[in-house]
Amino acid sequence: MGSDFKAIPLVDISALVEKVDHPGMADDGDLLDVIRELDRACKDAGFFYVKGHGIAESLMAEVRDVTRSFFQLPLEEKRKIRLTPRTGYRGYQRVGQNITKGKLDMHEAIDCYAHIEPGKYGDLGKHLEGDNLWPDCPSNFKVLLDNYARLLRDLSRKIMRGIALALGAPSDAFEGGTAGDPFWYLRLIGYPVPASISQEQRTNTGCGAHTDYGLLTLVNQDDDICALEVRNLSGEWIQAKPVPGTFVCNIGDMLEVWSNGIYQPTLHRVFNNSLHYRVSVAFFYESNFDAVVEPAELCREKTGGVAKYDKVVYGEHLVKKVLNNFVL
């Protein structure tokens, strides 16, 4: 799948947000238009902007602002919540600590995950057990981000209901055993100006080319810096230019498996070649942590009747990636 798209499509999902949980929604013309647009965007690009999502633009800006305030702190302050295996790979990582395909990424970040009770998933979940690490400064950090994650989890569920309908499935197809108790994680990312990075450490890559691990990603990016790039079928890198008030959404590995390849994640990367520090806050909406994800029967029927993908235990997929993501 995929195409030689030259721009990221924009989808107004206001009808979806308002009506997808209502009885009789399947006959609503406005909602059907949104579903057709989502289907086209997932097939053609695997990326799309969403507007009409119901999240206040002022909240989106506040989340970016508090993230930027934290990254402006001295390194010794930021390292008080540093990420280690003992923190469940939660917390702060310095510039160059994250790795994509064996190469250092020129960004710093805070990783936050949904809570995992000790022992809940046995050996599968032991690496990510624990609570998130929150800084003392800014003082509203925890309250703001907890609320933001809650709102984006609900928004993501609604978008996934639209994607289920786009695939011809019931609206709740991704709930229950697949994502009825969705795992999520949140990355607050800062991309320094290249000249501020030491010569020994410097590369030109803010984050190397990759696909995301789960079902759906929502990115809240600075309004005035072009840095995110998406690769089309011809191998061209297309800029996901900021559109104020929107989220940039993209589909992940688990949706590719579930849809039997009808929808496929798209490689993307980040280059901050501007003269300004860039902030991006990515929310990842995933399967249930212990879900066994496999091609859905209705998607197999649409693609020749044969499963093109093996079963994947989402938690195993995530943990394998996380354990290879950092220089510790």
Side-chain angles (χ1 to χ4, degrees):
M1 296 295 173
S3 71
D4 289 336
F5 61 91
K6 300 298 183 182
I8 310 300
L10 173 65
V11 183
D12 184 341
I13 62 169
S14 53
L16 177 70
V17 169
E18 294 169 8
K19 301 173 183 178
V20 75
D21 291 329
H22 294 178
M25 61 182 178
D27 298 322
D28 186 281
D30 292 338
L31 181 56
L32 291 174
D33 287 343
V34 176
I35 291 165
R36 281 190 287 268
E37 288 186 48
L38 284 175
D39 181 55
R40 189 178 307 115
C42 288
K43 286 177 177 174
D44 289 351
F47 265 76
F48 49 97
Y49 301 95
V50 294
K51 68 176 184 178
H53 45 68
I55 307 296
E57 191 170 350
S58 59
L59 176 60
M60 296 174 68
E62 186 178 6
V63 167
R64 297 194 305 271
D65 289 345
V66 79
T67 299
R68 182 175 282 102
S69 294
F70 173 81
F71 288 137
Q72 288 173 345
L73 294 172
L75 181 60
E76 59 268 24
E77 283 295 314
K78 293 184 284 190
R79 283 179 55 80
K80 288 180 179 178
I81 61 164
R82 65 184 179 276
L83 176 151
T84 71
R86 286 187 295 179
T87 67
Y89 292 88
R90 302 162 187 260
Y92 171 75
Q93 62 255 211
R94 66 187 184 277
V95 175
Q97 189 174 351
N98 197 87
I99 300 171
T100 301
K101 296 182 179 176
K103 296 184 178 180
L104 301 182
D105 292 321
M106 294 298 98
H107 69 252
E108 56 186 331
I110 301 175
D111 278 358
C112 310
Y113 295 97
H115 178 71
I116 296 181
E117 291 285 348
K120 181 177 181 180
Y121 300 115
D123 286 345
L124 178 63
K126 65 182 181 181
H127 295 288
L128 298 177
E129 289 175 351
D131 295 310
N132 291 319
L133 304 180
W134 303 107
D136 294 329
C137 182
S139 60
N140 63 333
F141 200 98
K142 180 182 186 303
V143 172
L144 179 68
L145 270 297
D146 276 343
N147 180 56
Y148 183 73
R150 178 182 59 81
L151 292 172
L152 264 64
R153 174 174 163 166
D154 185 58
L155 173 60
S156 299
R157 179 187 63 82
K158 290 179 178 180
I159 296 174
M160 287 308 304
R161 283 195 154 206
I163 287 174
L165 292 169
L167 286 165
S171 63
D172 63 355
F174 289 104
E175 295 164 31
T178 300
D181 181 24
F183 192 70
W184 59 263
Y185 63 103
L186 186 67
R187 291 203 88 216
L188 300 101
I189 314 167
Y191 298 91
V193 176
S196 68
I197 302 168
S198 68
Q199 190 64 46
E200 301 78 35
Q201 190 182 45
R202 189 181 306 168
T203 74
N204 64 347
T205 307
C207 187
H210 64 285
T211 59
D212 293 340
Y213 313 151
L215 293 171
L216 183 71
T217 305
L218 281 70
V219 178
N220 174 7
Q221 61 175 342
D222 274 337
D223 288 341
D224 54 355
I225 301 174
C226 292
L228 176 61
E229 299 178 348
V230 182
R231 196 174 78 173
N232 69 14
L233 198 61
S234 293
E236 298 174 289
W237 289 97
I238 307 301
Q239 285 192 329
K241 297 179 180 179
V243 178
T246 69
F247 290 100
V248 185
C249 295
N250 61 279
I251 59 181
D253 298 339
M254 294 302 102
L255 185 53
E256 178 180 18
V257 173
W258 197 92
S259 71
N260 208 32
I262 294 173
Y263 296 160
Q264 296 184 10
T266 307
L267 280 173
H268 51 286
R269 65 186 186 184
V270 178
F271 285 90
N272 182 19
N273 292 322
S274 75
L275 299 177
H276 302 284
Y277 190 99
R278 176 182 184 261
V279 164
S280 173
V281 180
F283 180 83
F284 302 90
Y285 186 81
E286 314 293 273
S287 314
N288 298 349
F289 191 81
D290 57 352
V292 179
V293 181
E294 60 185 319
E297 181 178 355
L298 68 94
C299 294
R300 295 198 305 268
E301 291 172 355
K302 291 182 175 184
T303 51
V306 177
K308 299 178 181 180
Y309 300 84
D310 294 331
K311 296 178 181 179
V312 180
V313 178
Y314 166 71
E316 290 180 357
H317 183 66
L318 173 64
V319 168
K320 182 179 178 182
K321 298 283 190 179
V322 168
L323 295 183
N324 290 286
N325 271 1
F326 304 105
V327 177
L328 297 173

